[in-house]
Amino acid sequence: MRNFTIYLAILLCLMASKILGQETFEAQAKKIALKIENITNEQKAALKVEVEEVNLQLEKGSISQEQADVKKQQLSQARATIIENKVAVTQQELKELVQAQVEGKINSQDFINSEKSKTFKFYYGKNEIIDNVKRKDSINENKFVKRTSNQIVLATGFNNLMTNGSVENSGFYYLRSSFLEWGLTFNTRLFKDSNLLHLKYGLTGVYNTLYLTNNRYFITDKSQTVVAYYPYNLKNNSSYFKNVFITIPIFLELDFTKNRIEDKDNSFRIQRGFRVGLGGFVGYNTNSKQFLSYEKDGNQITERQKGNWNVDDWNYGLSAYVGYKATSLYLRYDLNPLFKDNAIKQNNVSLGVRFDFN
């Protein structure tokens, strides 16, 4: 567990830095989340147009039903690959953003000063400034009167396999192996007159990557998935094993944001203070792939191997987070092993930073 102690220290530094410079860092992370959402929407729209074209060909009798089904499957797979590749680019952007925040390269003071100057640039009179602040408060409070609100979720961090309750000497690179989770969730206040307890639920996509050490890769041996040494020198940065899941997360959240009382009316606000969430998830594995990059006879070769790799179709587990405002320290643990028939059971575990944007 020593490595998780290192992770925890890094992430606590990140959260502390985040609190000091929340606006600019959160804004950049939110842009990345929206970029991922836009990528998915654009490719879905393009796929819809392509499928409609296939349906027109089918109606005209230029292709058979079997040919139409094959075309639709090929088009769907092509768009899924495009989404996967583009999301991988944004995942790298998010990693770089988190790294920049850890290293203190993001200056929040300039952002705060610029926001102040913008305020006084557009509102010259003192009374106008006060009235404007009141109007903004009124709008923000009314936003949270509803019992249910939707949120964009974005999380990233470290990923590894736990054997016998430990990730020490796991055989995977600790800092290189990572996860990315993004999606849409709903936040419902459970009690009419109390803001403490919330139910959070939704749909997310999860990308788990594992980078093997010592020039090794995965192979299937009968019913088991084992590691072997590759005959050529693998490039560490571009040789990895990835699993993609569609998951349904459910949390009970304690939100310690204080109620705002004006004119004897309660206004329930969310994510204005410390939060704690406990829950679990169930997911379905959409694909498992292994990427191998190496040099052979002076040529740069990249292989993409797709298969089930003895990975269970379904995964389920426990998850928790603790944080302040929109940012949380996030932990996920799969209760079922990654490789279902292996003699040694290894469970996926992820630790990182989570953002819940209203």
Side-chain angles (χ1 to χ4, degrees):
M1 300 299 291
R2 179 180 57 188
N3 297 289
F4 269 121
T5 304
I6 297 173
Y7 297 164
L8 183 59
I10 294 174
L11 290 169
L12 287 176
C13 290
L14 171 61
M15 292 181 67
S17 178
K18 165 68 177 68
I19 292 171
L20 293 174
Q22 178 179 344
E23 293 86 353
T24 182
F25 180 60
E26 182 174 317
Q28 293 182 56
K30 190 170 183 178
K31 285 180 181 178
I32 294 176
L34 291 173
K35 185 184 295 185
I36 293 175
E37 186 178 19
N38 290 335
I39 289 171
T40 304
N41 291 336
E42 288 173 2
Q43 296 305 315
K44 284 182 178 179
L47 177 60
K48 184 178 179 181
V49 173
E50 293 171 342
V51 169
E52 288 176 353
E53 179 62 29
V54 173
N55 289 333
L56 287 175
Q57 294 177 12
L58 181 61
E59 290 177 5
K60 293 177 181 178
S62 57
I63 59 174
S64 65
Q65 181 64 56
E66 184 179 352
Q67 291 174 322
D69 293 339
V70 171
K71 276 193 172 184
K72 289 178 183 179
Q73 185 176 4
Q74 292 174 342
L75 291 171
S76 177
Q77 182 62 43
R79 290 297 171 183
T81 300
I82 293 173
I83 292 174
E84 185 177 315
N85 293 338
K86 289 190 174 183
V87 167
V89 174
T90 57
Q91 183 179 6
Q92 183 61 33
E93 290 180 11
L94 184 61
K95 285 183 180 180
E96 293 173 357
L97 176 63
V98 172
Q99 185 64 31
Q101 179 73 352
V102 172
E103 296 174 356
K105 295 180 180 179
I106 298 179
N107 188 351
S108 61
Q109 189 62 39
D110 293 340
F111 178 86
I112 295 171
N113 290 339
S114 65
E115 289 299 305
K116 287 181 180 178
S117 64
K118 287 179 184 177
T119 301
F120 285 96
K121 180 178 180 180
F122 290 103
Y123 302 98
Y124 295 96
K126 179 178 178 182
N127 292 333
E128 290 180 79
I129 296 174
I130 295 174
D131 290 342
N132 178 64
V133 170
K134 287 183 178 179
R135 285 196 299 271
K136 285 185 176 179
D137 285 345
S138 177
I139 293 172
N140 289 336
E141 298 309 328
N142 290 335
K143 178 180 178 182
F144 298 108
V145 170
K146 296 187 298 183
R147 295 279 289 271
T148 299
S149 61
N150 60 297
Q151 300 175 317
I152 295 175
V153 174
L154 181 64
T156 188
F158 309 112
N159 190 65
N160 218 295
L161 293 186
M162 183 175 287
T163 307
N164 297 325
S166 174
V167 295
E168 194 166 7
N169 300 319
S170 67
F172 302 97
Y173 287 105
Y174 293 112
L175 298 181
R176 198 168 293 157
S177 300
S178 62
F179 82 96
L180 172 69
E181 181 177 4
W182 59 276
L184 180 68
T185 62
F186 296 92
N187 185 331
T188 299
R189 176 164 44 89
L190 293 180
F191 300 115
K192 181 179 179 181
D193 299 322
S194 174
N195 195 43
L196 181 62
L197 190 61
H198 294 249
L199 180 66
K200 296 188 71 169
Y201 50 94
L203 188 69
T204 63
V206 179
Y207 297 75
N208 291 333
T209 58
L210 294 167
Y211 288 75
L212 278 162
T213 60
N214 300 325
N215 206 62
R216 298 176 302 158
Y217 73 118
F218 284 114
I219 61 172
T220 53
D221 183 11
K222 296 180 181 179
S223 62
Q224 297 195 37
T225 301
V226 297
V227 296
Y229 291 98
Y230 202 67
Y232 303 100
N233 290 328
L234 294 171
K235 294 183 177 180
N236 292 332
N237 291 332
S238 51
S239 299
Y240 56 92
F241 182 61
K242 179 170 69 174
N243 289 284
V244 181
F245 298 91
I246 300 297
T247 67
I248 300 175
I250 300 177
F251 292 95
L252 281 177
E253 180 183 277
L254 296 175
D255 190 334
F256 296 96
T257 301
K258 293 182 179 180
N259 297 353
R260 181 164 184 167
I261 303 176
E262 289 185 353
D263 299 328
K264 299 181 180 179
D265 292 328
N266 282 334
S267 294
F268 296 102
R269 303 177 296 174
I270 61 173
Q271 296 191 178
R272 301 292 185 88
F274 286 96
R275 300 178 297 116
V276 177
L278 299 173
F281 60 90
V282 60
Y284 180 76
N285 185 306
T286 62
N287 68 79
S288 298
K289 293 179 181 178
Q290 182 168 229
F291 297 82
L292 302 176
S293 182
Y294 56 93
E295 183 176 339
K296 180 181 178 182
D297 299 329
N299 299 318
Q300 299 294 332
I301 301 174
T302 299
E303 293 183 18
R304 178 186 295 180
Q305 303 174 347
K306 184 176 181 180
N308 64 10
W309 301 99
N310 187 33
V311 174
D312 204 332
D313 289 338
W314 295 91
N315 78 321
Y316 54 91
L318 303 174
S319 50
Y321 56 86
V322 56
Y324 179 73
K325 293 187 177 181
T327 306
S328 304
L329 182 65
Y330 184 40
L331 176 66
R332 288 169 48 99
Y333 177 71
D334 288 13
L335 292 175
N336 61 314
L338 178 63
F339 303 112
K340 57 185 177 182
D341 294 325
N342 278 14
I344 298 177
K345 304 301 181 183
Q346 295 177 297
N347 300 64
N348 199 88
V349 61
S350 304
L351 177 66
V353 180
R354 172 188 173 109
F355 306 99
D356 294 87
F357 300 115
N358 292 310

